[in-house]
Amino acid sequence: MAIIRNEALHKQVAAAMRQAIATGEWPPGTQLPTETDLAQTYGVSRPTVRLAVAALRSEGQLDVKQGRGTFVRPTVHGPSGAMERTITLRAGAYETPTDTWFGHGEEPTVYRTRTDLTASLLLNLEEGEAAFACDRLITDPSGDGRALHRLLLPMERITGTPLAQEPGVTPAEAYATLAAAGHDVAWRDRVSARIPQPDEREALRLSEAAVLLVIHRVTYDRPSGLPLILEETRLGAETTAVTYGIEAAKPKRASRAAKTAS
């Protein structure tokens, strides 16, 4: 490797290693040589090699497997699956394109909890309100998509409905229960992104360079605007895309009081 002046040495090593991956010298799945061997190959110190490897890990090109070594990751060409966020009402039952995801993966874990700051703001509740949570790892039966899903049912909003006795339901079942209780249900989604935690990365099989998409869906009562329940879906942006059906909304009518004031 020819040394270039005024450029950090570890960046030059990373560029050479990146070239070895791109040209197929190190195909996907290949285990890299040891730090000592790489240091000898590039004529640098082991700490310099360590920095170069860290740079390629952060790009998602390398995976470090504890006790086994460092490997070239398979090339990720973008999301291989899609999670559709549409909802359909058919014969009195609600359906979502991801209903089949809830029949695959792990059994749900249901427990009592308290609303955190995020949930409280989205549900218009005081922080620390009693709630049921239903956690699931759901998977796409037709592909490699995986997602962590949490259904949060605040006691204040579900008391008097079957959800208070049977909180381990799917979202579509929760919608139907709320509608049967007299609510004209509607939904709004908020999508954000962040770096995944180690346990999220492991559960969703994400690379160290992956970005986590976090979707919060609030189901609310349309006439009053009262938030009823909250869903949180976490998935890797490198494996699963999120798609929405868009319809033109009718303009809101101005209230009679507003017309009088004007």
Side-chain angles (χ1 to χ4, degrees):
M1 183 183 73
I3 302 299
I4 303 174
R5 293 179 179 274
N6 301 323
E7 184 176 358
L9 199 53
H10 77 275
K11 292 184 178 180
Q12 297 181 51
V13 174
M17 295 173 67
R18 198 179 291 114
Q19 181 69 11
I21 294 172
T23 59
E25 180 181 344
W26 292 340
T30 299
Q31 182 174 4
L32 264 61
T34 65
E35 282 186 0
T36 300
D37 290 339
L38 289 172
Q40 292 176 352
T41 297
Y42 295 115
V44 296
S45 66
R46 288 177 60 188
T48 298
V49 168
R50 202 170 296 132
L51 288 173
V53 169
L56 294 185
R57 285 177 63 188
S58 69
E59 296 172 8
Q61 298 209 47
L62 299 178
D63 268 340
V64 175
K65 299 181 180 179
Q66 195 67 30
R68 294 182 56 194
T70 302
F71 296 80
V72 178
R73 288 193 74 244
T75 303
V76 177
H77 297 288
S80 58
M83 175 178 279
E84 294 187 41
R85 303 293 292 171
T86 55
I87 299 173
T88 304
L89 178 60
R90 195 190 313 274
Y94 290 92
E95 300 174 1
T96 76
T98 54
D99 286 344
T100 54
W101 288 46
F102 288 85
H104 298 75
E106 299 177 353
E107 290 296 316
T109 301
V110 181
Y111 56 96
R112 291 180 179 271
T113 186
R114 299 277 177 177
T115 55
D116 60 14
L117 179 58
T118 298
S120 299
L121 291 173
L122 291 172
L123 290 168
N124 194 22
L125 288 169
E126 293 292 330
E127 188 173 358
E129 291 289 329
F132 279 117
C134 180
D135 288 355
R136 288 180 172 90
L137 170 65
I138 57 176
T139 59
D140 181 0
S142 61
D144 298 325
R146 295 165 68 89
L148 294 167
H149 183 273
R150 173 169 297 161
L151 178 62
L152 191 68
L153 308 168
M155 294 301 297
E156 180 180 318
R157 306 288 163 79
I158 64 169
T159 298
T161 75
L163 295 175
Q165 284 73 44
E166 297 182 8
V169 297
T170 66
E173 292 168 339
Y175 307 155
T177 299
L178 293 171
H183 294 289
D184 179 7
V185 291
W187 302 269
R188 54 176 172 265
D189 278 9
R190 188 187 76 170
V191 182
S192 58
R194 61 173 171 81
I195 300 300
Q197 299 295 325
D199 59 332
E200 295 169 329
R201 185 180 293 113
E202 180 179 359
L204 298 175
R205 301 174 182 171
L206 303 176
S207 74
E208 295 190 15
V211 173
L212 191 74
L213 293 181
V214 183
I215 310 169
H216 286 104
R217 168 169 286 177
V218 176
T219 303
Y220 65 95
D221 180 73
R222 194 191 308 270
S224 65
L226 180 69
L228 300 171
I229 61 175
L230 175 66
E231 295 171 63
E232 181 187 75
T233 304
R234 291 166 285 164
L235 63 157
E238 69 181 7
T239 57
T240 308
V242 180
T243 63
Y244 289 85
I246 305 297
E247 295 182 3
K250 295 181 180 179
K252 296 181 179 179
R253 287 187 175 184
S255 66
R256 182 173 298 179
K259 291 180 179 179
T260 303
S262 62

